[in-house]
Amino acid sequence: MSIFLLKRFFTFIVTLLGASLLTFLSLEILPGDPARVILGIDAPQSAVDALRLQLGLDRPMVDRYFDWLAHLLTGRFGVSYTYNVPVMDLIKHRIGITFPLAILSMLLSVLVALILGIYAASRHNKIGDVSVMGLSQLGISIPNFWLALLLILFFAVNLGWFSSGGFVGWDKGFIKSIQSLILPAISLATVQGAILARFTRSAVLETMREDYVRTARAKGLTRRGTLWKHVLRNAMIPVITIMGLQFANLLAGTIIVEEVFAIPGLGRLILQAISNRDITVVRDVVILLAALVVFINFVVDVLYAVIDPRLKPQDV
Amino acid sequence: MFNKKNIEFLKRAIKHRSFIVGGSMTLLLIFCAFISLFWTPWDPIKQNLLIRHSPPSWEHLLGTDQFGRDIFSVIMAGSQNSISVGLVSVSIGIIFGVSIGLLASTKRGWVEELIMRLCDFMYAFPAILLAIMLVATIGQGSINAMVAIGIFSIPVFARLTRGAANAIWAREYILASRSAGKGLFRITIEHVLPNILSVIIVQATIQFALAILAEAALSFLGLGAQPPTPSWGRMLSEARSMIYLNPWLAVYPGIAIAISVLGLNLLGDGLRDLVDPRLARKR
Amino acid sequence: MLDIKNLNINLNTVYGDATAVRNLSFKLEKGKTLGIVGESGCGKSLTALAVMGLLPENSWSTGEIIFNNKNLLSLNEDKLCKIRGNSIGMIFQEPMTSLNPLHTIGKQIAEPMILHGKVTRSMIKKEVLNLLDMVGIPDPLKRISSFPHELSGGQRQRVMIAMALSCKPEILIADEPTTALDVTIQKQILDLIKDLIDEFGMSMILISHDLGVIANNVQEIIVMYGGVCVEKGYTKKLINNISHPYSQGLFSAIPTLEMQEDSEQRLKTIPGSVPEITEIPKGCTFQGRCEYVSDICVKNSPNSVKISEDHEAYCFNLDKLN
Ligand SMILES: Nc1ncnc2c1ncn2[C@@H]1O[C@H](COP(=O)(O)OP(=O)(O)OP(=O)(O)O)[C@@H](O)[C@H]1O
Ligand SMILES: [Mg+2]
């Protein structure tokens, strides 16, 4: 394996550890006794003590952190206090909704962004460019949950084309399921797509100014030929980085959009767990999402090495 | 103040479309917030259940909500919340982020490396997720939301500052003043900081917009501003249950958010164009 | 074969419109070589790009560029694409950045030949290997699948040459092909270009800011200053009787071996610097730095003065000078 990938893998591991520490600590700073908070002021002290024991809160923080890590590594998640079921069971169903939602909106935003971004760049400073840029400026400024409300208002309330929320379940068929995910996906994809389109445009424009693009033109390639054969691949290198970062935002965005559309995914699970103070669930779901994000960024780095020969293993 | 360079800048600024449009929209936002401190057409908090859900009229420009409050007045008052969130969180971001960035660029070596790796880490982590967790644990409310949002803009400013400062440090006259025996701290204050100010201001404008968006999201989830403080995000959240009854409730606050964010973004873009060294440099 | 008449290149800059190249005319016959020399920023590259039809977006040109009886400036993009790389090849100033970092050397050299239908698919590899060998790249079989970052600057320039010559163009434009390279490699590259030009019987426009390089490698010279031609002529005649004050300055700025030993005798440089293109004065462009400047130089642009057969200069004060 090349030095580059090795380094990236190391970063991947360190970032995961950092994420776990951050998650753990931010839940530790909960003021007061978590068991007391969970059970409420009026609960008898004996019940609180029992819960402390059940949650393992009587042990030192460091021990608990490493315990948690060890459990995570062996795939044993905790047990939800409020639902009284293993967190794994809670996650299993929901990830099958949240993940497809994130992927669907990622696909949508990438597709639209690349087309618009490349189109705008190829029409630099012409009317097509200006209108795409104006549109994307608008897209960036709209909060995704508001867009979600507007979509519900228009497509569900007024036109009645889609249901205003909920998820039918994969057992009702692929088409139906995707249909109930399409509005949430659009509201998530719009902002990310607008950002990505602007970024793609400037990456393409920047690449078009490179010397090797002029060389390609001097060979006799047409503008379009140069764009496809020389500009795009080079321009994709920075664009892919942004895509990786955007995936993090998309996953986070599912929390709010799932809430608006009442989709029973991981995002809603977190919100409910937070309001129930169900620390085990919050902690495990957050670290799962974080791991997913970090993993995607690792994949992006590997993709880099595939695209860019400068990062390929040097022959020794 | 009115030397040739500044006049030149103003001349270009007046001709810059997105700067002017964005600037005006931002001024409108500030103006709204300022006026609403003293006056709104109706009391934005007092409920009047007799006139619930009344349609737009001369009396109530945008109609009334489910508690009979004048929507226009509530939106006006809501701008205060958005502006204060922006101000506080951007200030937190600038104070800590710029200091950290300057530290990294002055110290170099492992300090810089460590700081930058930490920033990378924060970048890769979904900020809003952590903000939600943070607010949920330290308790919901405007102040906590501001702090949480501010914390996540620290790495943005730190990175930006370090990059810009490194470029300044590489300049010759800095070397000259170093060899003249000036201390690192003094050079940083006298030469580096003034030179990177414009970049920071541009970023601050953009972060301001992002903060408004983030706060609206937190308030929408019930983690930000608490009733009865008027807040655009919470208005939208309350409008959800009225979506069949009074759909317009879900429209106006969003427009207010979009206008503010759009204005700030345009202003930031315009400013960036105007201070961009690539344009200012003589060819 | 190439006949440039009254070429003007205008630029739209942040500081307003400007004319970067003014009333430039010259002819290049088949099999002949021509050099354009002048300081940085005098419009050499723009002239070359105008011939290629590859001027930057914020510029436009007027006049005529006649190539094989066709005015290139009035041809449409499709026709120009058939000429570029096929009948006119170009080598650029910056070998480090002029190759696509993501494509192999072989692919980039093969591209123009495939594009202009010069070789069949099956012959491509052999042809590329030939070219690599011809430009003196060792171990072509291995290098054909190398990426640009694995090559040195000199080798990359050799690859550029192979690319520009792959379709055996009638004209090669070499825009400062050696400026970015080590002094030791400069001569190798120039010799290589010269040999190949002779071998294929091509014409060449060589661009440089170094009058020495130009004088040693071409048959005819154009000296440019501030976007205009100030002196032109056959190399031998011009070098033996350098007439324009600017050309004289350029000539005395060429370092010689004796000078380097004697540190007291510094290179004579022309005082002042090239004016910004937005600030080029009326009248003679060189007035600001010329020691012989007089009223007329400020008022009018000098006309061509014939110094001998095939040698002319644009100056009012030629008689004072000698
Ligand atoms: N795209 C552009 N926009 C604005 N000005 C430009 C542009 N391209 C070139 N110029 C200006 O036009 C003038 C001539 O440029 P040109 O590249 O032809 O110079 P040159 O003689 O090739 O110089 P060098 O030796 O540095 O390559 C310069 O002053 C340059 O700054
Ligand atoms: Mg040049």
Side-chain angles (χ1 to χ4, degrees):
Chain A
M1 202 157 65
S2 77
I3 304 287
F4 172 76
L5 286 186
L6 214 63
K7 257 191 184 161
R8 287 287 124 182
F9 187 70
F10 181 70
T11 319
F12 170 63
I13 298 297
V14 171
T15 315
L16 264 187
L17 279 178
S20 69
L21 198 61
L22 197 64
T23 314
F24 186 81
L25 284 182
S26 46
L27 289 170
E28 281 300 313
I29 55 173
L30 242 163
D33 181 356
R36 170 65 69 189
V37 175
I38 291 173
L39 291 179
I41 316 264
D42 308 326
Q45 189 57 41
S46 59
V48 173
D49 286 343
L51 185 61
R52 282 180 64 89
L53 218 60
Q54 188 196 332
L55 296 175
L57 288 175
D58 48 336
R59 304 179 35 240
M61 200 160 90
V62 182
D63 285 12
R64 276 183 288 131
Y65 174 65
F66 283 109
D67 258 14
W68 181 54
L69 268 195
H71 278 164
L72 285 183
L73 285 181
T74 50
R76 275 181 300 146
F77 283 33
V79 175
S80 153
Y81 169 73
T82 32
Y83 298 94
N84 215 356
V85 285
V87 179
M88 203 57 197
D89 291 354
L90 293 173
I91 293 176
K92 237 188 300 178
H93 288 99
R94 291 172 168 85
I95 201 164
I97 302 172
T98 299
F99 204 54
L101 174 59
I103 297 278
L104 186 63
S105 39
M106 190 77 198
L107 284 180
L108 270 179
S109 84
V110 167
L111 195 74
V112 175
L114 289 190
I115 293 176
L116 287 184
I118 294 168
Y119 170 76
S122 69
R123 317 243 79 212
H124 185 40
N125 278 346
K126 302 208 179 86
I127 181 85
D129 180 23
V130 175
S131 25
V132 169
M133 282 302 97
L135 218 70
S136 67
Q137 187 68 266
L138 204 66
I140 291 174
S141 310
I142 293 178
N144 52 13
F145 56 91
W146 184 50
L147 184 63
L149 281 179
L150 290 186
L151 288 176
I152 291 177
L153 204 57
F154 193 69
F155 288 105
V157 177
N158 277 358
L159 295 177
W161 290 359
F162 296 90
S163 71
S164 66
F167 181 71
V168 291
W170 290 106
D171 48 333
K172 294 280 184 319
F174 185 75
I175 307 275
K176 278 228 166 78
S177 313
I178 292 293
Q179 227 171 26
S180 53
L181 289 183
I182 200 84
L183 287 188
I186 291 177
S187 40
L188 268 177
T190 303
V191 183
Q192 305 297 331
I195 296 174
L196 195 61
R198 293 176 81 82
F199 198 85
T200 306
R201 170 185 175 269
S202 56
V204 170
L205 281 179
E206 207 128 289
T207 313
M208 287 210 272
R209 271 183 235 131
E210 296 281 354
D211 286 337
Y212 55 78
V213 172
R214 196 180 52 189
T215 308
R217 298 271 287 143
K219 287 176 181 175
L221 251 80
T222 55
R223 239 175 251 279
R224 183 178 300 230
T226 319
L227 183 68
W228 288 110
K229 290 197 181 127
H230 292 270
V231 176
L232 284 189
R233 233 179 102 193
N234 277 289
M236 277 311 113
I237 293 177
V239 171
I240 285 177
T241 320
I242 297 296
M243 284 185 199
L245 292 179
Q246 284 205 324
F247 191 76
N249 289 329
L250 273 181
L251 268 185
T254 56
I255 296 181
I256 197 162
V257 168
E258 281 178 5
E259 171 68 22
V260 182
F261 284 94
I263 291 175
L266 284 183
R268 274 202 119 196
L269 180 63
I270 289 194
L271 275 185
Q272 279 161 3
I274 283 178
S275 59
N276 295 338
R277 304 256 155 184
D278 196 340
I279 302 171
T280 334
V281 175
V282 177
R283 196 155 62 190
D284 289 354
V285 177
V286 167
I287 195 65
L288 184 77
L289 289 184
L292 218 57
V293 167
V294 179
F295 177 70
I296 293 284
N297 281 306
F298 174 63
V299 171
V300 164
D301 285 335
V302 177
L303 259 183
Y304 256 11
V306 173
I307 292 188
D308 194 337
R310 283 164 291 191
L311 299 174
K312 282 234 176 80
Q314 309 280 318
D315 346 350
V316 224
Chain B
M1 179 72 200
F2 285 108
N3 58 24
K4 196 163 165 238
K5 208 174 128 208
N6 286 351
I7 291 179
E8 187 108 318
F9 182 86
L10 282 180
K11 265 190 196 158
R12 278 200 295 146
I14 292 174
K15 273 189 260 167
H16 200 288
R17 205 181 315 142
S18 61
F19 175 80
I20 291 298
V21 175
S24 323
M25 287 163 84
T26 309
L27 277 181
L28 180 76
L29 172 70
I30 296 173
F31 182 72
C32 240
F34 186 72
I35 292 289
S36 68
L37 284 177
F38 311 104
W39 175 84
T40 47
W42 298 83
D43 187 333
I45 292 172
K46 208 171 136 228
Q47 308 187 352
N48 181 354
L49 298 180
L50 292 176
I51 50 165
R52 299 167 64 201
H53 298 302
S54 53
S57 65
W58 281 115
E59 237 177 313
H60 299 283
L61 276 182
L62 302 178
T64 59
D65 66 5
Q66 67 274 29
F67 298 115
R69 294 173 300 202
D70 177 49
I71 297 177
F72 187 71
S73 304
V74 185
I75 286 185
M76 263 183 84
S79 62
Q80 289 171 26
N81 183 53
S82 288
I83 286 203
S84 39
V85 168
L87 279 182
V88 172
S89 61
V90 169
S91 305
I92 293 178
I94 289 185
I95 291 170
F96 291 95
V98 172
S99 319
I100 291 174
L102 284 177
L103 182 73
S105 131
T106 317
K107 285 276 182 226
R108 295 294 166 92
W110 66 268
V111 176
E112 183 180 27
E113 187 66 17
L114 181 73
I115 290 177
M116 284 307 115
R117 287 291 83 77
L118 278 177
C119 288
D120 282 350
F121 170 67
M122 295 278 271
Y123 257 71
F125 215 75
I128 186 88
L129 178 60
L130 280 184
I132 289 176
M133 264 175 58
L134 213 62
V135 172
T137 47
I138 56 182
Q140 52 261 89
S142 280
I143 305 286
N144 291 348
M146 292 175 192
V147 173
I149 297 167
I151 289 178
F152 291 104
S153 67
I154 292 177
V156 178
F157 284 105
R159 239 190 201 194
L160 182 82
T161 304
R162 173 223 169 222
N166 277 358
I168 304 290
W169 275 108
R171 289 194 191 161
E172 276 135 45
Y173 66 86
I174 296 277
L175 281 178
S177 42
R178 272 197 89 164
S179 47
K182 280 196 190 170
L184 290 178
F185 183 74
R186 242 184 100 190
I187 300 180
T188 301
I189 299 294
E190 280 177 21
H191 295 291
V192 179
L193 202 54
N195 272 300
I196 61 174
L197 213 57
S198 59
V199 198
I200 293 175
I201 291 175
V202 170
Q203 191 61 42
T205 321
I206 309 278
Q207 282 314 117
F208 204 110
L210 287 178
I212 290 183
L213 277 177
E215 193 276 340
L218 286 179
S219 290
F220 183 81
L221 292 177
L223 302 172
Q226 298 300 307
T229 314
S231 141
W232 295 339
R234 219 189 51 252
M235 287 174 84
L236 282 175
S237 142
E238 285 164 2
R240 282 174 62 201
S241 47
M242 311 283 147
I243 202 148
Y244 286 91
L245 199 61
N246 189 355
W248 289 105
L249 282 179
V251 176
Y252 300 128
I255 294 179
I257 299 176
I259 289 181
S260 317
V261 174
L262 183 65
L264 282 160
N265 278 339
L266 286 176
L267 180 66
D269 277 5
L271 275 176
R272 178 177 296 151
D273 274 0
L274 290 172
V275 301
D276 192 338
R278 266 182 298 182
L279 277 179
R281 194 184 67 198
K282 279 200 168 187
R283 304 203 56 133
Chain C
M1 183 178 48
L2 182 72
D3 190 358
I4 296 185
K5 294 179 190 161
N6 278 324
L7 178 66
N8 281 279
I9 301 175
N10 304 296
L11 281 169
N12 180 304
T13 70
V14 203
Y15 302 97
D17 287 358
T19 308
V21 171
R22 212 177 290 238
N23 289 333
L24 188 68
S25 304
F26 63 84
K27 270 197 186 123
L28 178 65
E29 303 293 344
K30 191 167 171 49
K32 292 279 160 51
T33 54
L34 176 134
I36 302 180
V37 65
E39 271 169 292
S40 192
C42 69
K44 305 178 301 275
S45 296
L46 286 178
T47 307
L49 290 174
V51 175
M52 296 296 288
L54 290 178
L55 283 174
E57 256 174 41
N58 58 344
S59 60
W60 65 101
S61 51
T62 58
E64 284 175 64
I65 300 178
I66 315 280
F67 173 67
N68 287 343
N69 304 322
K70 279 173 287 192
N71 184 359
L72 296 186
L73 292 187
S74 58
L75 285 190
N76 65 17
E77 195 43 43
D78 281 353
K79 296 225 171 82
L80 280 176
C81 282
K82 297 218 171 71
I83 292 175
R84 279 185 214 128
N86 190 8
S87 322
I88 308 180
M90 180 156 177
I91 306 171
F92 294 97
Q93 203 164 337
E94 306 86 6
M96 304 313 273
T97 51
S98 291
L99 290 169
N100 188 333
L102 303 189
H103 290 177
T104 60
I105 303 300
K107 190 171 172 194
Q108 298 192 56
I109 296 181
E111 196 170 17
M113 291 189 285
I114 297 172
L115 199 64
H116 299 292
K118 291 286 170 181
V119 285
T120 54
R121 289 259 161 206
S122 51
M123 292 295 288
I124 282 280
K125 188 164 179 193
K126 204 169 145 249
E127 202 57 41
V128 173
L129 287 175
N130 267 343
L131 281 162
L132 281 174
D133 190 48
M134 187 182 80
V135 295
I137 297 229
D139 201 359
L141 209 52
K142 192 176 148 210
R143 282 306 175 199
I144 196 169
S145 51
S146 295
F147 287 94
H149 71 276
E150 296 162 332
L151 269 60
S152 70
Q155 282 177 321
R156 285 188 220 185
Q157 199 59 301
R158 285 172 196 269
V159 170
M160 288 294 294
I161 294 171
M163 229 156 64
L165 296 183
S166 59
C167 293
K168 310 263 179 316
E170 293 167 57
I171 301 178
L172 175 71
I173 302 177
D175 184 2
E176 312 210 26
T178 57
T179 308
L181 301 178
D182 257 322
V183 196
T184 45
I185 302 178
Q186 285 190 5
K187 190 162 154 30
Q188 292 174 12
I189 297 283
L190 283 168
D191 288 346
L192 173 70
I193 293 178
K194 227 163 87 174
D195 290 348
L196 293 173
I197 292 288
D198 285 346
E199 195 180 325
F200 295 146
M202 283 181 238
S203 316
M204 169 171 75
I205 300 178
L206 178 65
I207 294 175
S208 175
H209 56 252
D210 185 341
L211 189 54
V213 165
I214 293 286
N216 285 328
N217 290 288
V218 299
Q219 294 154 334
E220 198 181 337
I221 296 182
I222 291 181
V223 184
M224 279 182 80
Y225 183 82
V228 300
C229 165
V230 294
E231 183 165 4
K232 69 176 169 187
Y234 280 168
T235 305
K236 284 210 188 83
K237 295 191 177 175
L238 193 144
I239 292 296
N240 286 330
N241 183 15
I242 298 180
S243 305
H244 196 280
Y246 177 65
S247 324
Q248 292 183 344
L250 266 188
F251 188 71
S252 51
I254 301 175
T256 56
L257 275 179
E258 303 95 74
M259 272 185 200
Q260 284 166 359
E261 280 160 21
D262 180 6
S263 58
E264 279 301 293
Q265 188 189 356
R266 297 296 305 272
L267 270 179
K268 194 178 153 199
T269 50
I270 314 168
S273 60
V274 192
E276 289 289 331
I277 48 169
T278 42
E279 286 153 15
I280 293 176
K282 265 194 278 183
C284 175
T285 53
F286 191 53
Q287 53 179 271
R289 294 166 76 188
C290 183
E291 40 183 321
Y292 310 99
V293 63
S294 57
D295 285 351
I296 185 154
C297 307
V298 182
K299 277 190 209 124
N300 299 325
S301 314
N303 286 323
S304 154
V305 177
K306 198 161 175 177
I307 291 161
S308 63
E309 194 63 35
D310 299 319
H311 180 194
E312 53 192 85
Y314 294 74
C315 180
F316 291 114
N317 299 317
L318 286 173
D319 30 331
K320 266 194 237 164
L321 269 153
N322 296 322

